[in-house]
Amino acid sequence: NPIDSFYSFYLYKGNPQETRIPTQLLKRYIKKWKSFQEYWNRQKNVVTVRYEDLLDRPFEILTKVMDATGYEYTEEQLMRAIDRYPPQGHEFKHLKNFSEEDCLLINNKLGNLMKQFHYSLPNYR
């Protein structure tokens, strides 16, 4: 989800003094996310993994990834990996750091791509 991706990247890039991503920086993140998704949409034999699916169905999604890569594994190995490094969080965990204007900007610029991945932002109204 762009909301969580953008804010996680914002945190990763440094220790921000502001809880909101500055608008100019948000616009750059939007452009990069769009370019990244469009690039991978044009590629063949790509497996798309949404973090939200990994949260909901870790064994199923990890199996899909392992099968796509051709890597040999056992169910026990997958369960051990999930138990040791379980996915954490929830969708929109960073939504509080985005204004209504930020969300409208994201929807306006990324709406079609977001629909493709079954993403939608909550309404503020």
Side-chain angles (χ1 to χ4, degrees), residues 96-113:
K96 67 184 180 298
N97 300 305
F98 290 81
S99 68
E100 180 177 3
E101 292 78 21
D102 293 340
C103 290
L104 288 171
L105 177 64
I106 292 168
N107 265 331
N108 288 337
K109 298 290 186 180
L110 300 177
N112 290 334
L113 277 172

Side-chain angles (χ1 to χ4, degrees), residues 73-125:
Y73 63 92
T74 65
E75 286 187 17
E76 180 184 323
Q77 289 171 317
L78 288 186
M79 290 306 299
R80 192 169 52 239
I82 293 167
D83 287 343
R84 187 165 184 181
Y85 302 105
Q88 299 175 359
H90 56 85
E91 190 173 16
F92 298 122
K93 64 183 172 187
H94 299 299
L95 184 62
K96 67 184 180 298
N97 300 305
F98 290 81
S99 68
E100 180 177 3
E101 292 78 21
D102 293 340
C103 290
L104 288 171
L105 177 64
I106 292 168
N107 265 331
N108 288 337
K109 298 290 186 180
L110 300 177
N112 290 334
L113 277 172
M114 289 173 50
K115 286 177 190 172
Q116 174 189 343
F117 295 106
H118 309 286
Y119 291 136
S120 62
L121 299 179
N123 290 328
Y124 279 88
R125 302 187 199 302

Side-chain angles (χ1 to χ4, degrees), residues 3-48:
I3 290 287
D4 294 324
S5 296
F6 294 164
Y7 200 74
S8 293
F9 189 68
Y10 180 60
L11 294 177
Y12 169 77
K13 292 302 272 182
N15 293 319
Q17 301 300 316
E18 301 176 39
T19 57
R20 282 192 51 219
I21 301 171
T23 302
Q24 287 306 105
L25 190 55
L26 179 60
K27 287 178 180 180
R28 284 199 306 244
Y29 290 176
I30 289 169
K31 186 177 179 180
K32 287 181 180 187
W33 194 86
K34 183 176 182 177
S35 175
F36 177 87
Q37 298 302 340
E38 289 174 341
Y39 170 82
W40 285 108
N41 280 347
R42 293 189 302 271
Q43 306 310 306
K44 295 181 181 183
N45 300 319
V46 171
V47 175
T48 298

